[in-house]
Structures are given as C-alpha cells and as structure tokens.
C-alpha cells in the first residue's frame, strides 16, 4: 500500500519537472520573466532593498532612511518608490510595456521601426529627467546640510542668494560657501563666562587720637580695587578707606581716618588669564564698639563682592524682534607684518649679548578710507656682558609706522590694534661696540562701528550688552561778549568745541555741564593776526523718559552754528554759539542671543 503511494509521488514529480523543462527550453526568456513579474517579483537595480520597519519609519517621519536633509516632497517620493518595490502588487501595464520594449531593442526584436524610435525617444527623455532630478536633489542636499550645520531655523530671515561650491584642498570635500544677505550681524561682544558672590568680614582695633565717649558716624568705601584673573579664580585686592567721626571727652566731634588693606579670591569656573572681570564691592554693615575707656575702637566691617568674568568674542547673531542694543559691529580685520631694523652703539664694549626684551608702546592710529595708519615705538631693553665681565643694561626706543588695508573702514570708526613681537635677531660686531638688530612685528587690526540694533534672543551664548533705554537731542544757546586784547578790524575765524563735559542721570532727566572752548582769530589795526581764547561754562538738562540714577549715559556734543558780531570800535566781540547735545541712556543687561555659528575671538 505504502509502496504504491511512494511510486505515485515519484511519477508526479517527474511529470512536473518535465513540464517546466519543456517550458524553459521552448519559450522565450522574456515570457518567463513576465511570468514571474506577474506574481510577486520585480527586478529593480537602482533602489536597494531595506526592511519594512525602516521604510515605514521613513514614511511616517518624512525622511529618506536617515537622510533627513532632503526636503519633504523628495523624501516622500523616495519612500513611496521603495514601498512600491517591496509590495506584491503587480506592476503597472505601461511600465511592463516599456520594459518589454527595452528588452526588444536590446535583442533586436523591437517590432516595427516607428515603435522602436518612440521607445528610444521616451527612454532618452526619462534618463534626462532622472539626471536633472538627481542634480536638483544634490543641490537641495548641499543647501539643507548648510542649514543644519549652521543651526539656521526657518524663521531666521536668512535668504540664500547664491550657493557656490568649491573644493577643500585639505580634505578633498565639497564645501559650500554661504552668502547671508539679511538678518545677520557680526558683532564684537563680551560673553559671560561665569559669576560669583562672596562675603567677608574685616575685624580691626583702632587707637583713637583722643578718648571718645560716643561714635557719631563712620563712612567706609572700597578704593584702589585691583583684580587678577587666574585659572578658575579671580584674585581681588584693595583698600577699605574709613572716615570716623566721634565725640571726645571734651564734647567736641573729632575726625580720624583709617585704611585697611584686604586680599581675597573668588571661584569662577571657566575663568582664564587675559579675560575681563567686573567687580562690584558693597559695604553691607559696620559694627563698632568702644573699649579700653574709649581709647580703642573695635570695628567689624562686612563686605560683599560680586564678580563677573567676561570674554570678548565675535559672534554671528540674528537680528529682528528683540531688545534694542548698543553694540560694536565688526567692519573688518586684518594683520600685517613689519620689520624694524637698527644699529645701536653700546656704552661699554661687549663680549656677549645676554638678552633683548622688546615691547610696543605709545600706539597711535588714524583711520582713512579703507586703511588704518599705525604709529608707535618699539621699546627695547638690551642686556649684555661688557669687557669688564659685568652685565650691563641699555635701553632704546625705535619709532615705526605702518598701514593695514581694511575695506569698509571710514574716519570716525573705532579701531583696536594688538601688537606682537614675533622675532628678535641680534648680531654683535667683531669689536663689540655695536649691535645690529632685526625685530619682526605682527600688528592685528580690527575696525568696528558702534550701532544700535535689535537682537533676537535665543538659547546660545550669554552676553552682557547695554540696552538702549532712551535718547534725545537738545540745542543750547550761548551768548557772550568778550573784550579783545587788541583793537580789531576784522574777525577771521572762530573755532569752538565742547570740553570737560560730564553728566548726571536722575529720574527721566540727564543733567549736563561742561565748557565751550573757543579760539578766536582776528586782525588788528596793525594788520597783524592775533589769537585769543575763551572758555564759557554751560549747564542744561535733557529729558529722557525711563532714565534712572546709576544708568550709563553717552553724550555727543557738536557745534552747530557760530555768529560773531564786532562792535564799531573793534574792542568788544559778541558771539552766539548754538550747540547740539545728543544724549543716549543705556543699562547693561544679560540675555542669551540666537547665534548662527561661532566666528572666533
């Protein structure tokens, strides 16, 4: 029974195998492929196969299997193509017809010539479209990678006017060059590194000049404050200056002063030498007690120090809706190297040069259009061994002058110069009387412009900048009559300027005082030109809503108009001077800016 069943299975398998072999040897290859295509398989050479979990995640999250830099439309297109590849849905008939036509062309069986030409044209057009789509995808990928690497959000108001692609010679990678046309500013700003508060108490005993029965008052202030930044710490040194008023046994109020030196340190993680530091000292409380029959004054002074460490950095920040800030906009920067050579005659014949120290002092700068002129002095200290085997010292000053190209620089802008002595080469003459020196200097120059802009707040660097509270302009009129030293027949010129201008901020007002300095040039009866100076004090106030005491104020005074009137006798000169006084009140605030990318220090 079982033998018959086994025999029937063998015969059935043989018949099925024979059928398929017959089909394989007798039918064309294209029909066999179509047979399988109509079922569950589809050969795609371009798109690699991935698991179902991957393309479902990509479909739901609008990504292309981890390539989130593609845009939404392109990402969905890729996902749908892969999904169609893995589905068991039969291919579209038109797609099947195109495949058949291609195979027919390859095998030389394409049917009629017109159909073959149509298939060739369609294939060429499709390949051209695919090539253009691939190029567009590459451009989008480059643009989106720049957005993600720079941290630019869709609301940052940045337009990509053009994207140029160049090769990085170091890594061989393609590096896009981004051009920002709006919404960004390169600023120089103090970045908050850290801050801390400490409290300390100073206990002293002061011997009074005369016995006291009562302490009337003690005024204490912190003076001569000095700071030094080291790694993760700030050292504070200074003096507590006290003025003590007390009632003596004679019922007379006496005064006695006292100075107490102090030295503390404050922990500020991240602090490094060379950084800036702000210290706000406060005398919180003073406790006094008379001891030893009023001859000794026992004192306890409680101090508080608020310390903030800042680092000057350059940031690319977003501008738009935010606080109105007064800030330094970077116009440009550049560096130049220059060599200073000279020969110095030694006071004593030398046998050896021990050392030469050089530093740049007395720097002066002048900004002209697109250039900065730098003048200064190289101060050198020369140490050498004389023929008497004694080490001698000799100093020397060498002036130098150089200029640096900075496109965009204009007169009136701010300039900072950082000099550095890179190399010193010296050569002692054979007879030891002279030393030839070559000093290489590097001058780094930065030009900035003070502007006020609205900065977008964010979650990046914490900065401390002055916020504009208010500003206003007021005109002042000064009318004076001056008696001339010589009888004049003509006034040639009057030059006027504001000097010694100071301001005091009160509620909603700024009080301004200063001097109008005038230089008067006139021709006397003897046809000789004379000069006479005059200083005219002035005082005024400017309304600035929101101003409060202890706020900062910037004053820009200018002379707008001068009208001289000489009396007929030529002895009295009446002058009317109109000046414009611009006032800006600011207050330092701390906030996090929205950065596009770090620039450098």
């Amino acid at each position: 029974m079982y033998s018959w069943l086994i025999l029937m299975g063998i015969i059935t398998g043989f018949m099925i195998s024979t059928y398929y072999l017959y089909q394989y040897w007798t039918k064309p290859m294209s029909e066999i492929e179509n047979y399988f295509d109509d079922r569950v398989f589809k050969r795609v050479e371009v798109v690699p196969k991935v698991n179902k979990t991957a393309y479902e995640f990509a479909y739901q999250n609008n990504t292309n299997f981890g390539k989130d830099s593609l845009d939404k439309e392109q990402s969905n297109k890729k996902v749908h193509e892969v999904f169609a590849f893995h589905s068991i849905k039969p291919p579209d008939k038109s797609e099947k017809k195109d495949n058949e036509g291609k195979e027919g062309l390859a095998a030389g069986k394409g049917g009629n010539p017109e159909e073959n030409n149509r298939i060739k044209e369609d294939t060429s057009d499709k390949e051209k479209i695919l090539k253009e789509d691939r190029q567009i995808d590459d451009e989008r990928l480059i643009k989106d990678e720049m957005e993600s690497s720079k941290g630019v959000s869709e609301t940052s108001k940045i337009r990509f006017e053009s994207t140029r692609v160049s090769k990085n010679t170091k890594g061989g990678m393609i590096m896009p060059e981004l051009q920002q046309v709006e919404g960004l500013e390169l600023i120089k700003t103090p970045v908050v590194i850290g801050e801390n508060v400490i409290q300390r108490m100073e206990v002293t005993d002061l011997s009074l000049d005369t016995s006291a029965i009562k302490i009337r008052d003690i005024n204490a202030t912190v003076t001569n404050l000095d700071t030094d930044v080291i790694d993760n710490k700030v050292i504070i040194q200074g003096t507590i200056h006290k003025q003590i008023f007390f009632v003596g046994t004679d019922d007379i109020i006496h005064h006695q002063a006292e100075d107490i030196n102090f030295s503390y340190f404050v922990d500020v993680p991240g602090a490094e030498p060379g950084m800036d530091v702000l210290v706000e000292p406060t005398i919180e409380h003073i406790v006094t007690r008379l001891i030893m029959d009023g001859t000794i004054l026992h004192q306890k002074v409680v101090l508080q120090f608020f310390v903030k460490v800042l680092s000057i950095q350059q940031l690319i920040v977003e501008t738009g809706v935010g606080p109105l800030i007064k800030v330094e906009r970077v116009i440009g920067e550049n560096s130049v190297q220059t060599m200073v050579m000279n020969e110095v005659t030694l006071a004593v014949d030398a046998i050896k040069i021990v050392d030469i120290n050089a530093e740049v002092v007395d720097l002066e700068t002048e900004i002209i259009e697109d250039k900065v002129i730098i003048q200064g002095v190289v101060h050198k200290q020369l140490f050498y061994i004389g023929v008497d085997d004694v080490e001698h010292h000799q100093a020397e000053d060498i002036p130098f002058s150089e200029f640096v190209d900075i496109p965009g620089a204009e007169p009136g802008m701010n300039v900072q110069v950082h000099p550095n002595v890179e190399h010193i080469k010296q050569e002692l003459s054979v007879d030891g009387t002279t030393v030839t020196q070559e000093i290489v200097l590097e001058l780094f120059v930065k030009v900035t412009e003070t502007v006020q802009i609205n900065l977008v707040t964010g979650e990046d660097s914490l900065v401390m900048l002055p916020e504009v509270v208010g500003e206003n302009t007021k005109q002042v009129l000064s009318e004076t009559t001056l008696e001339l030293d010589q009888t004049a027949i003509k006034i040639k010129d009057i030059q006027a300027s504001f000097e010694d201008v100071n301001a005091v901020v009160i509620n909603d007002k700024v009080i301004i005082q200063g001097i109008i300095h005038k230089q008067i040039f006139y021709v006397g009866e003897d046809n000789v030109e004379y000069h006479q100076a005059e200083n005219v004090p002035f005082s005024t106030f400017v309304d600035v809503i929101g101003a409060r005491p202890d706020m900062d104020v910037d004053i820009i005074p200018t002379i707008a108009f001068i009208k001289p009137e000489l009396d007929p006798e030529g002895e009295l000169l009446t002058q009317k001077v109109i000046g414009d006084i611009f006032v800006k009140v600011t207050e330092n605030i701390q906030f996090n800016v929205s950065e596009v990318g770090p620039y450098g220090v």
Side-chain angles (χ1 to χ4, degrees):
M1 180 67 181
Y2 291 103
S3 301
W4 283 101
L5 292 175
I6 294 173
L7 180 61
M8 290 297 293
I10 295 173
I11 293 172
T12 302
F14 177 75
M15 293 175 63
I16 294 173
S17 302
T18 304
Y19 173 77
Y20 277 107
L21 287 172
Y22 173 77
Q23 293 291 337
Y24 179 79
W25 290 107
T26 58
K27 289 188 177 183
M29 193 67 179
S30 61
E31 293 184 10
I32 296 175
E33 291 180 349
N34 293 336
Y35 174 80
F36 288 106
D37 286 344
D38 289 337
R39 284 157 177 80
V40 296
F41 299 98
K42 177 182 177 183
R43 184 177 63 194
V44 180
E45 299 177 356
V46 177
V47 183
K49 184 175 180 179
V50 297
N51 58 53
K52 186 176 181 180
T53 303
Y55 65 69
E56 285 181 351
F57 176 83
Y59 181 83
Q60 295 174 1
N61 294 274
N62 293 329
T63 62
N64 186 31
F65 304 100
K67 297 180 181 178
D68 52 0
S69 58
L70 292 175
D71 60 28
K72 181 177 179 180
E73 180 182 357
Q74 186 67 15
S75 177
N76 286 334
K77 181 180 179 182
K78 293 292 184 182
V79 171
H80 292 165
E81 287 178 355
V82 178
F83 186 82
F85 163 60
H86 288 290
S87 67
I88 61 174
K89 181 180 178 181
D92 187 57
K93 296 300 182 181
S94 60
E95 182 181 355
K96 177 179 177 182
K97 185 175 181 180
D98 290 342
N99 292 335
E100 290 178 353
K102 292 179 183 179
E103 292 173 357
L105 286 175
K109 306 176 184 179
N112 57 54
E114 294 181 357
E115 185 68 16
N116 291 345
N117 291 333
R118 184 188 67 79
I119 294 173
K120 287 181 179 180
E121 292 176 357
D122 292 344
T123 303
S124 176
D125 292 340
K126 290 181 179 180
E127 291 177 351
K128 183 177 180 181
I129 293 173
L130 289 173
K131 184 176 180 181
E132 292 177 353
D133 290 342
R134 193 175 295 111
Q135 183 177 0
I136 294 174
D137 293 342
D138 292 340
E139 293 177 355
R140 287 175 176 173
L141 180 61
I142 292 173
K143 175 181 174 181
D144 293 336
E145 286 180 350
M146 282 298 301
E147 288 181 346
S148 61
S149 64
K150 293 291 184 181
V152 181
S153 62
E154 293 181 356
T155 61
S156 60
K157 299 182 181 180
I158 301 174
R159 294 204 309 265
F160 295 87
E161 188 177 68
S162 63
T163 301
R164 300 184 304 232
V165 178
S166 60
K167 289 187 177 180
N168 184 353
T169 57
K170 292 183 179 180
M173 299 176 62
I174 296 178
M175 303 295 291
E177 296 177 5
L178 178 64
Q179 293 182 351
Q180 296 92 0
V181 296
E182 67 175 18
L184 297 181
E185 285 289 351
L186 175 60
I187 64 173
K188 178 184 176 183
T189 176
V191 177
V192 179
I193 302 300
E195 54 189 30
N196 200 355
V197 179
I198 64 168
Q199 286 183 326
R200 295 292 185 267
M201 183 171 66
E202 287 287 339
V203 180
T204 59
D205 291 327
L206 174 65
S207 297
L208 299 177
D209 297 335
T210 182
S211 297
I213 59 175
K214 181 181 178 181
I215 301 300
R216 182 178 180 273
D217 193 15
I218 296 181
N219 297 329
T221 57
V222 177
T223 60
N224 302 326
L225 195 63
D226 189 20
T227 60
D228 188 16
V229 183
I230 61 176
D231 291 337
N232 301 319
K233 286 181 176 59
V234 176
I235 299 174
I236 306 172
Q237 294 177 320
T239 302
I240 303 174
H241 178 68
K242 292 184 290 185
Q243 299 186 63
I244 305 165
F245 300 89
F246 61 94
V247 180
T249 55
D250 53 1
D251 291 330
I252 297 176
I253 297 176
H254 299 265
H255 167 266
Q256 189 170 336
E258 181 187 20
D259 289 331
I260 303 173
N261 297 324
F262 64 85
S263 180
Y264 309 117
F265 72 88
V266 185
D267 291 319
V268 181
E272 296 179 359
M275 291 184 175
D276 297 332
V277 60
L278 295 178
V279 179
E280 295 180 4
T282 304
I283 305 291
E284 289 196 327
H285 194 63
I286 301 176
V287 178
T288 61
R289 184 164 59 95
L290 288 171
I291 59 176
M292 303 295 290
D293 297 329
T295 59
I296 302 296
L297 177 61
H298 182 73
Q299 308 165 76
K300 295 179 180 178
V301 180
V302 180
L303 300 170
Q304 177 178 285
F305 294 94
F306 175 77
V307 179
K308 188 192 301 291
V309 177
L310 305 168
S311 174
I312 303 299
Q313 299 181 13
Q314 291 185 179
L315 305 177
I316 302 177
V317 298
E318 295 184 46
T319 61
V321 179
L324 182 61
I325 302 297
K326 188 183 76 170
V327 69
E328 292 294 317
R329 172 194 289 159
V330 178
I331 302 300
E333 56 188 26
N334 200 356
S335 60
V336 65
Q337 286 185 328
T338 184
M339 180 179 291
V340 179
M341 297 183 296
N342 80 308
E343 184 177 276
V344 58
T345 302
L346 299 177
V348 178
D349 293 348
I351 58 176
K352 180 183 179 181
I353 302 298
V354 177
D355 192 15
I356 296 179
N357 297 329
E359 62 177 346
V360 179
V361 296
D362 300 334
L363 271 176
E364 295 181 0
T365 59
E366 180 183 356
I367 301 181
I368 60 176
E369 188 173 356
D370 296 332
K371 285 181 176 59
V372 177
I373 300 174
I374 307 168
Q375 293 179 324
V377 174
V378 179
H379 176 68
K380 295 184 296 181
Q381 300 185 68
L382 179 62
F383 301 90
Y384 61 94
I385 305 296
V387 292
D388 53 0
D389 291 330
V390 176
E391 183 172 342
H392 297 265
H393 167 265
Q394 188 169 333
E396 183 186 16
D397 291 332
I398 306 174
F400 72 92
S401 179
E402 190 58 76
F403 72 89
V404 182
D405 291 318
I406 297 185
E410 296 179 0
M413 291 183 176
N414 307 318
V415 59
Q416 302 91 43
V417 180
H418 301 279
N420 180 38
V421 178
E422 289 195 330
H423 180 69
I424 301 176
K425 179 183 178 182
Q426 74 274 355
E427 183 177 352
L428 183 64
S429 62
V430 179
D431 56 3
T433 58
T434 59
V435 178
T436 302
Q437 306 158 77
E438 297 178 357
I439 301 176
V440 179
L441 300 177
E442 181 184 36
L443 303 172
F444 177 78
V445 181
K446 185 192 304 291
V447 175
T448 61
E449 181 184 16
T450 303
V451 297
Q452 55 186 48
I453 53 180
N454 294 94
L455 295 184
V456 177
T457 59
E459 299 179 355
D460 296 317
S461 298
L462 177 64
V463 301
M464 187 181 75
L465 289 169
E467 181 185 18
V468 178
V469 176
E471 56 187 29
N472 201 355
T473 302
K474 186 174 183 179
Q475 285 190 331
V476 294
L477 172 63
S478 172
E479 184 173 358
T480 59
T481 299
L482 175 66
E483 183 178 354
L484 300 177
D485 297 335
Q486 304 290 332
T487 302
I489 60 174
K490 179 182 178 182
I491 302 299
K492 182 179 180 181
D493 189 21
I494 297 179
Q495 299 175 0
S497 61
F498 287 95
E499 294 183 357
D500 300 331
V501 178
N502 57 79
V504 177
V505 182
I506 61 175
N507 290 336
D508 297 330
K509 286 181 176 59
V510 178
I511 300 174
I512 304 169
Q513 294 177 324
I515 293 174
I516 300 177
H517 176 69
K518 293 182 287 186
Q519 299 187 66
I520 304 164
F521 301 90
Y522 61 94
V523 179
E525 292 179 324
D526 53 1
N527 292 324
V528 175
E529 183 175 342
Y530 294 92
H531 166 267
Q532 190 168 336
E534 182 186 19
N535 290 326
V536 180
F538 76 94
S539 178
T540 186
F541 69 89
V542 181
D543 293 319
V544 179
I545 303 301
R548 294 294 181 268
D550 298 331
M551 288 186 177
D552 299 323
V553 59
D554 295 328
I555 302 175
I556 304 177
T558 56
I559 300 296
F561 178 74
I562 301 175
K563 182 181 180 181
E565 292 182 0
L566 185 63
D567 70 331
E569 289 78 16
E571 296 178 353
L572 299 177
L573 174 63
T574 302
Q575 309 157 74
K576 295 180 180 179
V577 178
I578 298 177
D580 292 332
I581 300 179
F582 175 78
V583 176
K584 185 193 302 291
V585 177
T586 59
E587 182 181 19
N588 285 330
I589 62 172
Q590 286 188 186
F591 63 99
N592 295 90
V593 296
S594 178
E595 291 183 59
V596 175
Y599 181 83
V601 178

